[in-house]
Amino acid sequence: MSSSTQKEIKVGILGATGTVGQRFIQLLSTHPYFRLHALGASSRSAGQTYAAATKWKLATPIPEEVAGMVVSECDPSVEAFGECGVVFSGLDEKVGEIEDAFRRANLVVFSNAKNYRRDSLVPLIVPTVNPSHLSVVRAQQASLSLSKGYLVTNANCSTTCIVVPLRALELAFGPLKTVMVTTLQAISGAGYPGVSSLDILDNVVPYIGGEEEKIEWETNKILGGVTDGDDGFDLHAAGPGPINVSAHCNRVPVIDGHTACVSVAFQSGTKPSVEEVKKVLKGYKAEVVELGCPSAPKESIVLHEAQDRPQPRLDKDLYAGAAVHVGRVRECNVLDIKFVCMLDNVRLGAATSSVINAEYAVVKGFIQ
Amino acid sequence: MSSSTQKEIKVGILGATGTVGQRFIQLLSTHPYFRLHALGASSRSAGQTYAAATKWKLATPIPEEVAGMVVSECDPSVEAFGECGVVFSGLDEKVGEIEDAFRRANLVVFSNAKNYRRDSLVPLIVPTVNPSHLSVVRAQQASLSLSKGYLVTNANCSTTCIVVPLRALELAFGPLKTVMVTTLQAISGAGYPGVSSLDILDNVVPYIGGEEEKIEWETNKILGGVTDGDDGFDLHAAGPGPINVSAHCNRVPVIDGHTACVSVAFQSGTKPSVEEVKKVLKGYKAEVVELGCPSAPKESIVLHEAQDRPQPRLDKDLYAGAAVHVGRVRECNVLDIKFVCMLDNVRLGAATSSVINAEYAVVKGFIQ
Amino acid sequence: MSSSTQKEIKVGILGATGTVGQRFIQLLSTHPYFRLHALGASSRSAGQTYAAATKWKLATPIPEEVAGMVVSECDPSVEAFGECGVVFSGLDEKVGEIEDAFRRANLVVFSNAKNYRRDSLVPLIVPTVNPSHLSVVRAQQASLSLSKGYLVTNANCSTTCIVVPLRALELAFGPLKTVMVTTLQAISGAGYPGVSSLDILDNVVPYIGGEEEKIEWETNKILGGVTDGDDGFDLHAAGPGPINVSAHCNRVPVIDGHTACVSVAFQSGTKPSVEEVKKVLKGYKAEVVELGCPSAPKESIVLHEAQDRPQPRLDKDLYAGAAVHVGRVRECNVLDIKFVCMLDNVRLGAATSSVINAEYAVVKGFIQ
Amino acid sequence: MSSSTQKEIKVGILGATGTVGQRFIQLLSTHPYFRLHALGASSRSAGQTYAAATKWKLATPIPEEVAGMVVSECDPSVEAFGECGVVFSGLDEKVGEIEDAFRRANLVVFSNAKNYRRDSLVPLIVPTVNPSHLSVVRAQQASLSLSKGYLVTNANCSTTCIVVPLRALELAFGPLKTVMVTTLQAISGAGYPGVSSLDILDNVVPYIGGEEEKIEWETNKILGGVTDGDDGFDLHAAGPGPINVSAHCNRVPVIDGHTACVSVAFQSGTKPSVEEVKKVLKGYKAEVVELGCPSAPKESIVLHEAQDRPQPRLDKDLYAGAAVHVGRVRECNVLDIKFVCMLDNVRLGAATSSVINAEYAVVKGFIQ
């Protein structure tokens, strides 16, 4: 598919005024495939212009053509949403049922919320890991008697960070047995207003509600396969196990960029060398990159050799925040290999994942 | 020993103007056993009053009686040092040989530097874990033909944080097999000026030089035993192993207080329950507490039930920074048990450990 | 009055679970005059123990004897409140009418809210500046036909910071003509959750709603006098003018401690020398200090000679946060003299002011 | 002059590995007029590739074509420097004499250091304020018998921030009488390693050495005129006065972006209205913008209407950091008008100023 000849696809955003919604606006205002057409927010915002309704918190200004667009409610009966080829949702878990209403109105929804991630008919896709899981939407459509609409989720931001290098390792060295991960997560992961400054300035909060369970469970679904016949995900296999994942999640005073310290052991019992691991990480080619999805990063994994990298503030912006950064690859005294990885939690960890997933869907013919 | 009847012991401080030295001044200016008598610093500072020579960085003022004391060089031939019953050293590794000169001048030295921690005749003591290792100084004296002088080290601040709960667990559930630890360390651990603000504001640095090796090695010496006959430490046993420790160390934008996320497995193969572990941690009684060492905390381990604690800024000050805080005790999917622990890295993690160790030495008759 | 012989006065706290309320708990749990007797909070908290109802955010633990006290609603008909000799209010402006209900129930109320500060019969007192304004409560009682109850307010935290040195200067060099002030204010001034971490980390917010007006207005009432006959404050004189105050207020990423850069000109037209100003600031004796009010600081103004002080993190804790710190006294090219001042905004800037004001009221016989 | 037809000018950078030098690399690696040709640093770095010699601290990677360039010493006899049409200096004041050696070697030097700013023959130029002062270099060349070489300085970062709006006001409302300014300055202004994290995390430092004097003096030279005959600057007039400037400078925990709170009075005695002032600031057109200098911002002054803007983190990146942001324009109770302004201190406050100044010099024929 050539971006120059294709017809632009109208897109809508649910939760357009929120933290993830603002990233969607930023990513989509100049997108080669997609054109912003409908913006949905709470009834409090509906009827106002986007500029008036939004506490814009990004360091680039609101795109001029978006500032004057009128925000509507998040309702599939709004005409502008009905005209959309894709609806991106930055809604959080509390309003997740809205996404289902959009799907049942025969619309294609790419969701950031956790609500449907565990559904056996809903793909949970990290674009540089398992976009082929998109195939399951056919079974989803069949089960709901929908001709066009379906729902796809992307993963929790911390899960996304670790599964990209884990996928590369698994392809090279065989199935994983155990994964230990400790995260140092940015405040933007909690949305706005989110974390009180009194809680996090000069401090660490060693707990993020529900986060550890998400990492432990989602890793298995993402790295697991679809059932024979493409008719869903074998969730019994998907958690707990077959990969034993143990997570500890911390909030730290960082604005954007989640860091994770990871140790991994393989089922084979054979420990690859540090040099082999580095070579595999460096050489990893994600399908979305090879297909030329416009928002896919040039490198899915950026391997750092400097012993004090990656660092969130210095590294997250590379490739518009769409890569996972890996560094400090070394032997682990307890498991086989350990390393540190980092991603931009509000870009690849949220909005960018949805956008690349949708680009893949366009390229593969899942969006008309 | 009664603090009211005892004769005060004159003490000196090496590196008195530095980060750890300032904590020594603060801790010792009103101490029931010890009286500040000699302050040593670099030749640049020698001859000046303590107030003039020091960039004081604590939130309590310089004690009045110390402000006017004249700083001398760190030389055992300085008369005031010769009169000291104990010399506390806040010197860093670069000037560690000075400590040896003091010891060879027949002085008792309690050191925070890493230089002698691996010496088979030098005790490496965390006061609420293994003060009985002090007995080895007799063999040290014999080997150097010293009648009175010896050198004792305390542990790296992060090692100190984890060995206190590990010791409690080991006593209750038997020897440890493996320990996984990821630290989130405060900037004060790097001294002053230490970490550049441009490196750490809104950032994580996933590397601290030499720190991981210290944790992996020191844990084994501290939790290991002395040889039969009290004539040293069996360093072959002390590292690597018998406990496999794997550490990942990060610097975070926190002023004081190191946090560590720890997972542990026991040699027994039997996983204790979360409730048993909590009971053991809560009930742990360190010998220095039972002996009434004045700077020992009322509780060696403070067990937190709130799911988002301990937090460095809110919890570190309890018991004047002399406790280790443990929270979030739960099962680990990979090893047996996991938890988070936190200590004040410049108090129990440095100066306070030296002081309690010296108090123990006084009580046990190792200081005349 | 001797604190050893006096009868303890039962006190209540309104808004006991909030940011200011927690400071009241901390200050009053071991107070020589006052004994905590009634704790009021929202109806949501009423009926719970204080420990259960409160997200305690201080670095010292909840005092043991308070943890189990049961919280009631902020209603003067609650019996325990009726027994109180003083009620301290940490309520914010939104619920200020509750304070009036307590006063009308013939209770003595010391308030931190802004609601009654501009009332011509309500004293606005900074304890180390104008406690004698308390005399006006007699006229207040008369106007409301109250035998015992009255309401006293303390000032906005930033106003408090500047009026202490301004009072010292005014006493020495005559009436002030103009004051220019730019503040750098801590996040704790906005309460909890207050400022979102996404708004303030690595940032400055050059605006705090209503703050500039408070500084410009309150300074005149505090430094102004009571009318002849002690029957109120001449509010026409109190603002705008006679002192022209121009304020610019900023929020900065500091937890506790407001800094203010101040320039001042005198009506006399004679510029005092820097040395004269320093001498006056250093020598300033507040009446509450001379009277021995237990929470009054040893020095009302701490004068710093180091050119880079005062600094909030290093200096605020002195005298339990009850002093104002002044430094960098120098000539101003535009007005007469300039300096920087700093106070602990949640102690002298809030709860501590109320407590010292109440201590003064006890000593002066305004509380039976 | 058309950028498409012009011959590229070879440029060198002094202090290429430092904080300002890194910004020069970033700005010049894709510049339409200039091509990086010579990189100078300390003798310690000389002979290494730029990538090896530099602790790169920007969030964009080292440009590929620069990474492999070999660094030389800062010596005008190095052949590559001799071939440069412009030499940009990011050296600090300690090595300022090197800049003079380059000038005397007949090279054109644009300096960020303070050393020559007060020289009566050296222009002190803020590009969006007084580029026409460049004309004085002819007198400078004459005095040193140079055919081609000269030296131009740009201003202190905080001075730059305030003179842009002051210039707009002066043009509209006549000469300024007094200016009061309080700054809240970012840590990057102190270079690397610069400010210790222990000094600035959770803190304000109310002092920056030499900064207040620079603002008070430089403002007069920049807003003053050249002498008749273009033969220099009348430094008697330039300071102190005719504008009385009083500055108070603070360091705050912000990475990039200096904020300044400014009050100003005009000589005319007539106070313009807030609306007039806003209109003037919004309408200000700098000559470098009108001339199309490639690095000049689309708007020299960005006027903010939101009451809590500008904010350094959110606003500094607009126009690649080349604008000054102004907000909160309002009446001042003491002087005439007050406002807050903010700029990116390492871009327009340093490297970007030099680059635009050099672009102006190219356009005006001062560089062959």
Side-chain angles (χ1 to χ4, degrees):
Chain A
M1 166 176 172
S2 148
S3 65
S4 57
T5 60
Q6 102 174 85
K7 195 167 117 276
E8 267 188 344
I9 297 164
K10 291 173 182 165
V11 301
I13 299 180
L14 304 178
T17 60
T19 305
V20 175
Q22 293 184 23
R23 284 286 173 186
F24 275 126
I25 299 288
Q26 195 186 44
L27 292 167
L28 295 171
S29 69
T30 60
H31 195 278
Y33 295 1
F34 303 127
R35 186 158 55 78
L36 285 166
H37 183 68
L39 304 180
S42 69
S43 54
R44 207 176 46 247
S45 298
Q48 300 183 58
T49 63
Y50 185 73
T54 306
K55 286 199 165 213
W56 185 258
K57 295 288 174 187
L58 302 182
T60 56
I62 300 182
E64 275 180 49
E65 67 281 14
V66 177
M69 286 178 70
V70 175
V71 174
S72 66
E73 291 200 48
C74 289
D75 185 327
S77 67
V78 169
E79 193 180 337
F81 278 120
E83 296 162 356
C84 286
V86 183
V87 174
F88 293 101
S89 169
L91 295 173
D92 67 18
E93 59 197 73
K94 281 171 245 149
V95 285
E97 64 278 14
I98 292 173
E99 297 175 349
D100 187 43
F102 273 73
R103 170 174 61 169
R104 287 174 190 276
N106 218 16
L107 290 163
V108 173
V109 180
F110 283 81
S111 161
N112 277 271
K114 72 167 193 185
N115 305 53
Y116 298 95
R117 289 184 192 153
R118 299 198 180 200
D119 188 309
S120 70
L121 290 171
V122 172
L124 173 60
I125 300 183
V126 172
T128 51
V129 172
N130 63 329
S132 67
H133 285 188
L134 188 63
S135 60
V136 170
V137 299
R138 297 306 180 206
Q140 185 190 144
Q141 291 176 317
S143 86
L144 295 165
S145 305
L146 295 169
S147 62
K148 211 179 58 136
Y150 57 81
L151 191 148
V152 173
T153 60
N154 43 278
N156 167 272
C157 43
S158 293
T159 310
T160 302
C161 185
I162 68 166
V163 293
V164 177
L166 291 181
R167 177 63 174 158
L169 296 178
E170 180 186 69
L171 284 174
F173 306 114
L176 307 174
K177 185 179 166 197
T178 52
V179 176
M180 299 279 296
V181 54
T182 299
T183 66
L184 299 88
Q185 298 188 215
I187 55 174
S188 58
Y192 182 83
V195 182
S196 165
S197 56
L198 277 172
D199 281 333
I200 201 64
L201 236 163
D202 180 27
N203 208 13
V204 164
V205 179
Y207 175 73
I208 301 174
E211 197 79 0
E212 295 168 0
E213 294 76 3
K214 287 178 198 163
I215 294 172
E216 292 169 4
W217 197 94
E218 294 179 10
T219 299
N220 274 285
K221 183 170 177 182
I222 293 164
L223 297 181
V226 299
T227 56
D228 294 340
D230 256 13
D231 56 358
F233 298 93
D234 184 352
L235 297 187
H236 184 67
I243 311 173
N244 283 325
V245 184
S246 178
H248 190 110
C249 294
N250 301 283
R251 188 77 69 192
V252 294
V254 166
I255 299 165
D256 289 320
H258 287 358
T259 299
C261 300
V262 180
S263 284
V264 61
F266 298 94
Q267 285 185 26
S268 70
T270 313
K271 190 186 266 220
S273 74
V274 167
E275 286 313 310
E276 286 172 315
V277 168
K278 286 183 179 177
K279 198 177 154 193
V280 158
L281 294 169
K282 203 165 183 161
Y284 179 66
K285 300 281 178 216
E287 189 186 357
V288 293
V289 179
E290 312 244 299
L291 286 171
C293 291
S295 303
K298 201 175 122 195
E299 303 171 276
S300 303
I301 295 173
V302 177
L303 182 72
H304 293 257
E305 291 288 350
Q307 63 189 1
D308 61 353
R309 299 294 269 268
Q311 293 178 16
R313 184 156 52 81
L314 297 182
D315 295 315
K316 72 183 156 52
D317 287 341
L318 193 68
Y319 303 135
V324 169
H325 295 257
V326 180
R328 302 206 65 216
V329 178
R330 57 213 197 283
E331 285 189 54
C332 179
N333 289 341
V334 173
L335 302 183
D336 291 343
I337 284 286
K338 61 184 174 182
F339 56 87
V340 60
C341 53
M342 192 274 298
L343 97 170
D344 186 313
N345 56 299
V346 283
R347 290 193 276 183
L348 187 65
T352 299
S353 270
S354 284
V355 171
I356 306 176
N357 286 346
E359 291 169 356
Y360 179 90
V362 169
V363 172
K364 288 288 191 178
F366 284 84
I367 292 171
Q368 295 107 26
Chain B
M1 168 178 169
S2 149
S3 64
S4 57
T5 59
Q6 106 176 78
K7 194 166 118 278
E8 267 189 344
I9 297 163
K10 292 173 181 165
V11 301
I13 299 179
L14 304 179
T17 61
T19 305
V20 175
Q22 294 183 23
R23 283 287 173 187
F24 274 125
I25 299 288
Q26 194 185 44
L27 292 167
L28 294 172
S29 69
T30 60
H31 195 279
Y33 296 0
F34 304 127
R35 186 157 55 79
L36 284 166
H37 184 69
L39 305 179
S42 69
S43 53
R44 207 177 48 247
S45 299
Q48 300 183 59
T49 63
Y50 185 73
T54 306
K55 285 200 163 211
W56 185 259
K57 294 289 174 186
L58 302 181
T60 55
I62 299 182
E64 274 180 49
E65 68 281 13
V66 178
M69 286 179 71
V70 175
V71 174
S72 65
E73 291 200 49
C74 290
D75 186 327
S77 68
V78 169
E79 191 180 337
F81 277 120
E83 296 162 356
C84 287
V86 184
V87 174
F88 293 100
S89 169
L91 295 173
D92 67 17
E93 58 197 77
K94 281 172 245 149
V95 283
E97 65 278 15
I98 291 173
E99 298 175 349
D100 188 42
F102 274 74
R103 170 175 59 170
R104 287 175 190 277
N106 218 16
L107 291 163
V108 173
V109 179
F110 283 81
S111 161
N112 276 271
K114 72 168 192 182
N115 306 53
Y116 297 96
R117 288 183 192 153
R118 297 196 181 202
D119 187 309
S120 70
L121 290 172
V122 172
L124 173 60
I125 299 182
V126 172
T128 51
V129 173
N130 64 327
S132 66
H133 285 190
L134 188 63
S135 59
V136 170
V137 299
R138 297 304 180 209
Q140 185 190 144
Q141 290 175 317
S143 86
L144 295 166
S145 305
L146 295 170
S147 60
K148 209 178 61 135
Y150 57 81
L151 191 149
V152 173
T153 61
N154 42 278
N156 167 273
C157 43
S158 293
T159 309
T160 302
C161 185
I162 68 166
V163 293
V164 178
L166 291 181
R167 176 63 174 158
L169 296 178
E170 180 187 68
L171 284 174
F173 307 114
L176 308 174
K177 186 179 166 198
T178 52
V179 176
M180 298 279 296
V181 55
T182 300
T183 66
L184 298 86
Q185 298 188 215
I187 55 173
S188 57
Y192 183 83
V195 182
S196 165
S197 55
L198 278 172
D199 280 334
I200 202 65
L201 236 163
D202 180 28
N203 208 14
V204 164
V205 178
Y207 175 73
I208 301 174
E211 197 80 358
E212 295 168 359
E213 294 77 3
K214 287 179 199 163
I215 294 173
E216 292 168 4
W217 197 94
E218 294 178 10
T219 298
N220 274 285
K221 181 169 178 183
I222 293 164
L223 296 182
V226 299
T227 55
D228 294 341
D230 257 12
D231 56 358
F233 298 93
D234 184 352
L235 297 186
H236 184 69
I243 311 172
N244 282 325
V245 184
S246 177
H248 190 111
C249 294
N250 300 283
R251 188 78 68 193
V252 294
V254 166
I255 299 165
D256 289 319
H258 288 358
T259 300
C261 299
V262 180
S263 283
V264 61
F266 299 94
Q267 284 184 25
S268 71
T270 312
K271 190 185 267 218
S273 75
V274 167
E275 286 313 312
E276 286 172 314
V277 168
K278 286 183 178 177
K279 199 177 155 193
V280 158
L281 293 169
K282 203 165 182 160
Y284 179 65
K285 300 280 179 219
E287 190 186 357
V288 293
V289 179
E290 312 245 299
L291 287 172
C293 292
S295 303
K298 200 175 122 196
E299 304 171 275
S300 303
I301 295 173
V302 177
L303 183 72
H304 292 257
E305 291 288 351
Q307 63 189 1
D308 61 352
R309 299 292 272 267
Q311 294 178 17
R313 182 155 54 79
L314 297 181
D315 296 314
K316 71 182 158 51
D317 286 341
L318 192 70
Y319 304 135
V324 169
H325 296 258
V326 180
R328 302 205 66 217
V329 177
R330 57 214 197 282
E331 285 188 55
C332 179
N333 288 340
V334 173
L335 303 184
D336 291 342
I337 284 286
K338 60 184 174 183
F339 57 86
V340 60
C341 53
M342 191 275 297
L343 96 169
D344 187 315
N345 57 297
V346 283
R347 291 192 277 184
L348 186 65
T352 299
S353 270
S354 285
V355 171
I356 306 176
N357 287 345
E359 291 168 357
Y360 179 90
V362 169
V363 173
K364 288 289 190 177
F366 285 83
I367 291 172
Q368 297 108 24
Chain C
M1 167 176 171
S2 147
S3 64
S4 58
T5 60
Q6 104 176 82
K7 196 167 117 278
E8 265 188 345
I9 297 164
K10 290 173 182 165
V11 301
I13 299 179
L14 304 178
T17 60
T19 305
V20 175
Q22 293 183 24
R23 283 286 175 189
F24 274 126
I25 299 288
Q26 194 185 45
L27 292 166
L28 295 171
S29 68
T30 59
H31 195 278
Y33 295 0
F34 303 128
R35 186 158 54 80
L36 285 166
H37 184 68
L39 304 180
S42 68
S43 54
R44 207 177 47 249
S45 299
Q48 300 182 58
T49 63
Y50 184 73
T54 306
K55 284 198 165 212
W56 185 259
K57 294 288 174 188
L58 301 182
T60 56
I62 300 181
E64 273 180 50
E65 67 282 13
V66 178
M69 286 178 70
V70 174
V71 175
S72 65
E73 291 200 49
C74 290
D75 186 328
S77 68
V78 169
E79 192 180 337
F81 277 120
E83 296 162 356
C84 286
V86 183
V87 174
F88 293 100
S89 169
L91 296 173
D92 67 17
E93 58 196 76
K94 280 171 245 150
V95 285
E97 65 277 15
I98 292 174
E99 297 175 349
D100 187 43
F102 273 74
R103 170 174 60 169
R104 287 175 190 275
N106 218 15
L107 291 163
V108 174
V109 180
F110 283 81
S111 161
N112 277 272
K114 73 167 192 183
N115 306 53
Y116 298 96
R117 288 184 192 154
R118 298 196 181 201
D119 188 310
S120 70
L121 290 171
V122 172
L124 174 60
I125 301 182
V126 172
T128 51
V129 173
N130 64 327
S132 67
H133 285 190
L134 188 64
S135 60
V136 171
V137 299
R138 297 303 180 211
Q140 184 190 145
Q141 290 175 318
S143 87
L144 295 166
S145 306
L146 295 170
S147 60
K148 209 179 61 137
Y150 57 81
L151 191 148
V152 173
T153 60
N154 43 279
N156 168 273
C157 43
S158 294
T159 310
T160 302
C161 185
I162 69 166
V163 293
V164 179
L166 291 181
R167 177 62 175 158
L169 295 177
E170 182 187 67
L171 284 174
F173 307 113
L176 307 174
K177 186 178 166 200
T178 52
V179 176
M180 299 278 296
V181 54
T182 299
T183 66
L184 299 86
Q185 298 187 217
I187 55 173
S188 57
Y192 183 82
V195 182
S196 164
S197 56
L198 277 172
D199 280 334
I200 202 64
L201 234 163
D202 180 27
N203 208 15
V204 165
V205 179
Y207 174 74
I208 301 174
E211 196 79 358
E212 295 167 1
E213 295 77 4
K214 287 179 198 163
I215 295 172
E216 291 169 4
W217 197 93
E218 295 178 11
T219 299
N220 275 285
K221 183 170 177 181
I222 293 164
L223 296 182
V226 300
T227 56
D228 294 341
D230 255 13
D231 56 357
F233 298 93
D234 185 353
L235 296 188
H236 183 68
I243 312 172
N244 282 325
V245 183
S246 177
H248 189 111
C249 295
N250 301 283
R251 188 76 69 192
V252 293
V254 165
I255 298 165
D256 290 319
H258 288 357
T259 300
C261 299
V262 181
S263 283
V264 61
F266 299 93
Q267 285 185 26
S268 70
T270 312
K271 191 187 267 220
S273 74
V274 167
E275 286 312 313
E276 286 172 314
V277 169
K278 286 184 179 177
K279 198 176 154 193
V280 158
L281 293 169
K282 203 164 181 161
Y284 179 65
K285 300 281 177 217
E287 189 186 357
V288 293
V289 180
E290 311 245 299
L291 286 172
C293 291
S295 303
K298 202 175 120 195
E299 304 171 275
S300 302
I301 295 173
V302 177
L303 182 72
H304 292 257
E305 291 289 352
Q307 62 189 0
D308 61 352
R309 301 292 272 263
Q311 294 177 16
R313 184 155 54 79
L314 296 181
D315 294 316
K316 71 183 158 52
D317 287 340
L318 193 68
Y319 303 135
V324 169
H325 296 258
V326 180
R328 302 206 66 216
V329 178
R330 56 213 197 283
E331 285 189 55
C332 179
N333 288 341
V334 173
L335 303 183
D336 291 343
I337 283 286
K338 61 184 172 183
F339 57 86
V340 59
C341 54
M342 191 276 298
L343 97 169
D344 186 315
N345 57 298
V346 284
R347 290 192 276 183
L348 186 65
T352 299
S353 270
S354 284
V355 171
I356 305 176
N357 286 346
E359 290 167 358
Y360 179 89
V362 169
V363 173
K364 288 289 190 178
F366 284 84
I367 291 171
Q368 298 106 24
Chain D
M1 168 179 169
S2 148
S3 66
S4 58
T5 60
Q6 102 176 82
K7 197 168 117 276
E8 267 187 344
I9 297 164
K10 291 174 182 165
V11 301
I13 299 178
L14 304 178
T17 61
T19 304
V20 175
Q22 292 183 24
R23 283 287 174 187
F24 275 125
I25 299 289
Q26 195 185 45
L27 292 166
L28 295 171
S29 69
T30 60
H31 196 278
Y33 294 0
F34 303 127
R35 186 159 54 80
L36 285 166
H37 184 69
L39 304 180
S42 68
S43 54
R44 205 177 50 247
S45 298
Q48 300 183 57
T49 63
Y50 185 73
T54 306
K55 284 200 164 210
W56 184 259
K57 295 287 174 189
L58 302 181
T60 56
I62 301 181
E64 274 180 48
E65 67 281 13
V66 178
M69 286 178 71
V70 175
V71 174
S72 65
E73 290 199 49
C74 289
D75 185 327
S77 67
V78 169
E79 192 180 338
F81 278 120
E83 296 161 356
C84 286
V86 183
V87 174
F88 293 101
S89 169
L91 295 174
D92 67 17
E93 58 196 75
K94 281 171 245 148
V95 284
E97 65 278 13
I98 292 173
E99 297 175 349
D100 188 42
F102 274 75
R103 170 174 61 169
R104 288 175 190 275
N106 218 16
L107 291 164
V108 173
V109 179
F110 283 82
S111 161
N112 277 271
K114 72 167 192 185
N115 305 53
Y116 298 96
R117 288 182 193 155
R118 297 196 180 202
D119 188 309
S120 70
L121 290 172
V122 172
L124 174 60
I125 301 182
V126 172
T128 52
V129 173
N130 64 328
S132 66
H133 285 190
L134 187 65
S135 60
V136 171
V137 300
R138 296 305 181 210
Q140 185 190 144
Q141 291 176 317
S143 86
L144 295 166
S145 305
L146 295 169
S147 61
K148 211 179 60 140
Y150 57 81
L151 190 148
V152 173
T153 60
N154 43 279
N156 168 273
C157 43
S158 294
T159 310
T160 302
C161 184
I162 69 166
V163 293
V164 178
L166 291 181
R167 177 63 174 158
L169 295 177
E170 180 188 67
L171 284 174
F173 307 114
L176 307 174
K177 186 178 165 197
T178 52
V179 176
M180 299 278 297
V181 54
T182 299
T183 65
L184 299 87
Q185 299 188 214
I187 55 173
S188 58
Y192 182 83
V195 182
S196 165
S197 56
L198 277 173
D199 280 334
I200 201 64
L201 234 164
D202 180 27
N203 208 13
V204 164
V205 178
Y207 175 72
I208 302 174
E211 196 79 359
E212 295 168 1
E213 294 77 3
K214 287 178 198 164
I215 294 172
E216 291 170 4
W217 196 94
E218 294 178 10
T219 299
N220 274 287
K221 182 169 177 182
I222 293 163
L223 297 182
V226 300
T227 56
D228 293 339
D230 255 14
D231 56 358
F233 298 93
D234 184 351
L235 296 187
H236 184 68
I243 311 172
N244 282 324
V245 183
S246 178
H248 189 111
C249 295
N250 301 283
R251 188 77 69 192
V252 294
V254 166
I255 298 165
D256 289 319
H258 288 358
T259 299
C261 299
V262 180
S263 283
V264 61
F266 298 93
Q267 285 185 24
S268 71
T270 312
K271 190 186 266 220
S273 75
V274 167
E275 285 313 311
E276 286 172 314
V277 169
K278 285 183 180 178
K279 199 177 152 193
V280 159
L281 293 170
K282 202 164 183 161
Y284 179 65
K285 299 282 179 217
E287 190 186 358
V288 293
V289 180
E290 312 245 298
L291 286 172
C293 292
S295 304
K298 201 175 124 195
E299 303 171 275
S300 302
I301 295 173
V302 177
L303 183 72
H304 292 257
E305 290 288 352
Q307 62 189 1
D308 62 352
R309 301 294 271 265
Q311 294 177 16
R313 183 154 54 79
L314 296 181
D315 295 316
K316 71 182 158 52
D317 287 340
L318 193 68
Y319 304 135
V324 168
H325 296 258
V326 181
R328 304 207 62 218
V329 178
R330 57 214 197 282
E331 284 188 55
C332 179
N333 288 341
V334 174
L335 303 184
D336 291 342
I337 283 286
K338 62 183 173 184
F339 56 86
V340 59
C341 54
M342 190 276 297
L343 96 169
D344 185 314
N345 56 299
V346 283
R347 291 193 276 183
L348 187 65
T352 299
S353 270
S354 284
V355 171
I356 306 176
N357 286 347
E359 291 168 357
Y360 180 88
V362 169
V363 172
K364 288 289 190 178
F366 284 83
I367 291 171
Q368 297 107 26

